[in-house]
């Protein structure tokens, strides 16, 4: 069978309303700020476990995981944890080193022009290594393309990208992401470390932000 077929993401259709909030528990302080539980935490975890299996199958015996902060931190922690568990329960142990890079390209719910690499720009430790970039969300792929270009300058042996979410936007990035958790419609989502102006990282489900939430946590552009 074709690899691409085996690694199909879970596709969330445009008309998926999410689960009603009262069916789940979530931080009380957000009760007006989200419309629905879009992807429950348990489902995220089960899917991340499956992605960890793909990674185990594709990589040799060691990888450098490059976690894209801040949004990627939950996904990264859980993915690496599942890789360790799978290793303990099989005879293939994947040695993982975790490194962090910080990017910023969003203000409110809008992508800004400039990609800023805020964390360490010197990634020379990637030379000759098998690298897995771990990112929470990929939409147009502009950020990911810029990051890939930067990473390639350090001459790693191989680079793959894990994206928990890929958004169906016009000019959607095809083929940039090797491991995709969920393909979602073009909604602004928060939770599981995804933020809106730094809020909602403390929500464990992935949720759709409400109009009230957008207003309440809005920031002014200083550009
Ligand atoms: N949520 C949070 N951060 C993001 C998103 C999103 O939907 N898209 C790009 N960055
Ligand atoms: Mg953000």
């Amino acid at each position: 069978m074709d690899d691409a077929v085996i690694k199909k993401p879970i596709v969330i259709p445009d008309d998926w309303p999410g689960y009603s909030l009262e069916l789940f528990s979530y931080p009380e302080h957000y009760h007006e700020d989200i419309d629905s539980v879009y992807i429950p935490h348990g489902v995220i975890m089960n899917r991340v476990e499956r992605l960890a299996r793909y990674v185990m199958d594709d990589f040799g015996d060691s990888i450098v995981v490059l976690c894209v902060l801040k949004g990627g931190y939950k996904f990264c922690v859980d993915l690496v944890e599942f890789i360790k568990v799978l290793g303990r329960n099989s005879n293939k142990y994947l040695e993982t080193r975790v490194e962090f890079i910080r990017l910023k390209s969003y203000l409110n719910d809008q992508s800004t022009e400039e990609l800023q690499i805020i964390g360490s720009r010197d990634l020379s430790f990637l030379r000759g290594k098998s690298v897995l970039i771990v990112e929470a969300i990929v939409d147009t792929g502009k950020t990911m393309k810029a990051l890939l270009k930067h990473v390639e300058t350090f001459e790693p042996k191989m680079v793959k990208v894990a994206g928990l979410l890929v958004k169906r936007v016009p000019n959607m990035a095809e083929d940039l992401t090797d491991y995709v958790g969920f393909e979602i419609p073009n909604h602004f989502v928060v939770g599981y470390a995804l933020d809106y102006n730094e809020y909602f990282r403390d929500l464990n489900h992935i949720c759709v932000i409400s109009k009230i939430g957008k207003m309440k946590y809005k920031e002014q552009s200083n550009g």
Side-chain angles (χ1 to χ4, degrees), residues 53-147:
R53 165 65 68 192
Y54 290 143
V55 172
M56 289 290 280
D57 290 347
D58 288 355
F59 283 83
D61 51 13
S62 80
I63 52 171
V64 179
V65 171
L66 186 63
C67 172
V68 181
L69 295 174
K70 296 178 186 178
Y73 92 88
K74 293 280 288 173
F75 179 35
C76 180
V77 167
D78 290 332
L79 186 66
V80 169
E81 205 53 42
F82 278 122
I83 288 170
K84 289 198 301 198
V85 171
L86 290 172
R88 285 201 295 273
N89 294 319
S90 69
N91 52 13
K92 187 183 171 190
Y93 203 91
L94 189 59
E95 187 188 333
T96 41
R97 168 174 170 174
V98 184
E99 296 285 345
F100 300 90
I101 187 165
R102 188 157 170 217
L103 309 177
K104 193 171 195 311
S105 60
Y106 267 74
L107 178 76
N108 297 321
D109 57 355
Q110 298 302 312
S111 178
T112 55
E113 271 306 300
E114 276 301 293
L115 167 74
Q116 304 167 44
I117 299 179
I118 305 173
S120 101
R121 290 190 58 88
D122 178 17
L123 306 178
S124 49
F125 53 82
L126 298 181
R127 193 170 316 278
K129 296 289 193 330
S130 299
V131 181
L132 179 68
I133 297 178
V134 175
E135 168 68 287
I137 190 158
V138 179
D139 44 34
T140 62
K142 219 170 65 180
T143 305
M144 185 52 67
K145 274 184 202 141
L147 177 59

Side-chain angles (χ1 to χ4, degrees), residues 106 188 194-198 201:
Y106 267 74
F188 197 81
L194 281 165
D195 75 310
Y196 175 81
N197 295 331
E198 301 302 325
R201 292 198 207 273

